Amino acid sequence: MAFELFDLTGKRALVTGSSQGIGFAIAQGLADHGAEVVLNGRDSDKLAAAAAKLAACGHKVSTSGFDVTSAATVTEAVDAIEKAGPIDILVNNAGMQFRSPLEDFPVERWEQLLATNVSSVFYVGQAVARHMIKRGKGKIINIASVQSELARPNIAPYTATKGAVRNLTRGMCTDWAKYGLQVNAIAPGYFKTPLNQALVDDPAFSAWLEKRTPAARWGNVDELIGAAVFLSGSASSFVNGHTLYVDGGITISL
């Protein structure tokens, strides 16, 4: 019974932005717990390589390289994926970062951040939820951030987008929980990912982070798997609209 709470056998998961980093780690974790996974990403070569890694481990995996920032493309792709089988779990992970002093922040980068980090969550979430609602069940996990709560210099627009993801998660829950959907968010702290590689390679930043974080270290992406499996399985059947911080304690300590 204890294992069944986290067993994803027979479930099918779509993970956006899953050719590398956090998205790939979560996809692999869900697959390790029995789920079939559909990988999504912009780089077809990286996507194929990621799928090959999972297939080599004996996992059932497919790919769908649609553009998460195009509403029409998202709807078409999700409908096509559904024809091959239901999407039981959606992980909205696709995201990007751009750093610049706010007074010099390029408008085109602002618009790109909004499209990638916020609009994609709405587009993919809505397209998938329409199918889940018909079935009366489904799990949606949005990837937020410690920047849903905190701000740092030179990333104000990113902070705005991740705050929006947190509140969009609440809104999705408010509208869709009555249909049997559980919509939650995972808010990672500072993890060693390609998105953060410049910071990982900066000795001064890493020293600051280790001092600032109660756990005194960077997170490893496989440490997000437990949260994702919990929110994907029956163990979280009455958890809804929640943002789960996986951050080594950084959001609760001055």
Side-chain angles (χ1 to χ4, degrees):
M1 176 62 182
F3 177 75
E4 290 176 3
L5 293 174
F6 304 95
D7 183 14
L8 304 179
T9 302
K11 302 297 183 181
R12 196 156 175 259
L14 167 62
V15 185
T16 67
S18 49
S19 62
Q20 62 181 2
I22 287 173
F24 180 75
I26 288 176
Q28 184 170 36
L30 298 183
D32 286 342
H33 284 75
E36 173 188 348
V37 293
V38 182
L39 303 182
N40 161 266
R42 293 176 295 180
D43 187 318
S44 58
D45 291 337
K46 285 185 178 180
L47 200 58
K53 287 180 183 178
L54 295 185
C57 295
H59 298 313
K60 190 172 183 181
V61 57
S62 59
T63 63
S64 183
F66 62 91
D67 180 1
V68 296
T69 69
S70 168
T73 301
V74 165
T75 298
E76 182 180 351
V78 167
D79 288 348
I81 294 168
E82 280 276 336
K83 287 180 180 178
I87 300 171
D88 304 293
I89 302 159
L90 166 64
V91 182
N92 273 313
N93 170 74
M96 66 165 291
Q97 173 66 289
F98 184 81
R99 297 177 177 89
S100 170
L102 186 56
E103 64 273 18
D104 299 321
F105 207 93
V107 171
E108 62 273 18
R109 289 296 192 178
W110 163 258
E111 293 173 347
Q112 187 181 20
L113 276 167
L114 286 176
T116 306
N117 294 358
V118 183
S119 295
S120 70
V121 176
F122 170 73
Y123 296 154
V124 184
Q126 184 188 62
V128 172
R130 285 171 173 161
H131 293 278
M132 289 178 169
I133 287 169
K134 293 175 185 176
R135 294 189 286 267
K137 59 182 179 180
K139 300 278 192 172
I140 297 177
I141 302 169
N142 299 324
I143 302 302
S145 168
V146 290
Q147 266 74 48
S148 297
E149 289 284 345
L150 304 174
R152 288 195 68 254
N154 300 331
I155 60 166
Y158 180 83
T159 299
T161 64
K162 289 303 182 178
V165 169
R166 182 186 180 209
N167 258 11
L168 183 53
T169 299
R170 291 167 164 173
M172 287 176 167
C173 165
T174 301
D175 275 51
W176 297 338
K178 62 188 175 186
Y179 299 117
L181 278 61
Q182 284 91 51
V183 187
N184 296 286
I186 296 173
Y190 284 87
F191 281 76
K192 293 179 180 179
T193 68
L195 197 67
N196 283 330
Q197 194 59 51
L199 298 179
V200 174
D201 293 339
D202 182 344
F205 185 88
S206 286
W208 170 84
L209 179 66
E210 290 168 6
K211 185 176 179 180
R212 174 68 178 79
T213 306
R217 63 177 176 83
W218 285 88
N220 298 307
V221 290
D222 58 0
E223 293 178 296
L224 292 164
I225 293 172
V229 171
F230 165 66
L231 292 176
S232 296
S234 60
S236 59
S237 60
F238 204 56
V239 179
N240 228 331
H242 178 67
T243 298
L244 175 56
Y245 288 86
V246 185
D247 65 358
I250 197 170
T251 53
I252 54 85
S253 176
L254 289 173

